[in-house]
Amino acid sequence: MNATARGSICIGVGGWDYDPWRGAFYPSGLPRAKQLEYAGARLTGTEINATFYKLQRPDLFERWAGMVPDGFRFAIKGSRFCTNRKQLGEAGEAIGKFCAQGFTALGDRLGPINWQLAPTKRFDPEEVRAFLALLPAAQDGMKLRHALEVRHESFRCREFVAAARAAGVAVVFADSDAYPQIADLTADFVYARLQRTREEEPLGYAEPELDRWAGAIGGWGGGGGPPGLDYVSAAAAPARPRDVFAFVISGAKVRNPAAAQALIARVGT
């Protein structure tokens, strides 16, 4: 597929500081302070997990942005204080604090925000619509893009897909043994988390699996819904180029950088 016929594609992992990557992905002896710079030269995106646990400083976001090249994107995990609550529709104050912490200092390296729900959170139409309505369209003059990661089977319904589509919020695509797969396109970008790497595979996945996921990523970028995935809604989203953010996470985590690099080599970014 010609790169001009698709959106931008960022492929990476979750975080960048993981001890088993030292000697497997990072050269032995590489200072921790150089890890992000090293990862940024070989991957095209990563998730910032620290924001799930606590707010970060604007100068830290600015420093991270300066350590990666043009085209690299940071996806940000939404705060647990926004999503791990009895009533999502009451998260307005927490969402406001989260979005005001200074992540806009990432500038053009800022990717989407992933709001990850607890596995026990069931789908409640009114509650979910109320939460989606709280997500701001912009912060500090910068457009924000939001993705919602649901992890309970009750979300596999047309009403949820319709609500996400109406709000322009992406449903996180999860290839997981534990969580439901919802492949429906609901926003102008795609957020995918591939979670089935295996340690016995040097690249995390077997070659045919890597080929399959590379094809899906390219298909998403070109605007289509790749075949062979689990869709919920009978109504397909309009076909148009979409930006894609694909992260290899969980599974055999030590293999995830290798899997991400293999996908980058296949897809091109």
Side-chain angles (χ1 to χ4, degrees), residues 148-166:
L148 188 62
E149 183 176 6
V150 301
R151 299 191 289 171
H152 192 277
E153 189 66 26
S154 60
F155 282 87
R156 279 189 45 80
C157 65
R158 294 181 179 182
E159 190 171 6
F160 168 58
V161 171
R165 193 168 282 165

Side-chain angles (χ1 to χ4, degrees), residues 52-122:
F52 179 75
Y53 299 101
K54 66 177 184 179
L55 302 180
Q56 306 295 314
R57 304 188 314 273
D59 64 295
L60 194 55
F61 289 112
E62 186 175 12
R63 188 190 318 162
W64 290 338
M67 298 176 72
V68 296
D70 291 344
F72 190 96
R73 296 289 182 271
F74 292 95
I76 299 176
K77 290 286 287 296
S79 169
R80 58 181 171 163
F81 298 107
C82 300
T83 57
N84 290 358
R85 55 174 57 232
K86 186 174 181 180
Q87 286 296 327
L88 293 174
E90 298 175 356
E93 183 178 354
I95 290 171
K97 289 180 179 178
F98 178 84
C99 290
Q101 69 183 291
F103 57 67
T104 53
L106 290 170
D108 61 6
R109 271 73 165 171
L110 175 62
I113 302 170
N114 174 11
W115 302 96
Q116 183 186 77
L117 302 187
T120 54
K121 174 59 72 174
R122 293 173 175 269

Side-chain angles (χ1 to χ4, degrees), residues 1-9 185 188 215-225 238-244 267-269:
M1 180 180 297
N2 191 306
T4 60
R6 70 184 189 190
S8 66
I9 293 176
L185 303 176
D188 61 358
I217 291 169
W220 282 322
R240 60 173 185 254
R242 288 177 169 84
D243 294 343
V244 180
V267 175
T269 57

Side-chain angles (χ1 to χ4, degrees), residues 186-258:
T186 57
D188 61 358
F189 70 99
V190 174
Y191 197 120
R193 304 181 94 220
L194 308 181
Q195 305 174 51
R196 288 178 173 169
T197 49
R198 304 182 300 280
E199 193 158 355
E200 66 270 19
E201 291 288 348
L203 297 178
Y205 290 99
E207 298 279 353
E209 293 172 307
L210 290 168
D211 292 340
R212 178 195 177 209
W213 288 122
I217 291 169
W220 282 322
L229 304 179
D230 289 341
Y231 296 89
V232 175
S233 176
R240 60 173 185 254
R242 288 177 169 84
D243 294 343
V244 180
F245 301 86
F247 301 103
V248 186
I249 61 111
S250 299
K253 191 170 178 179
V254 70
R255 301 296 190 203
N256 291 352

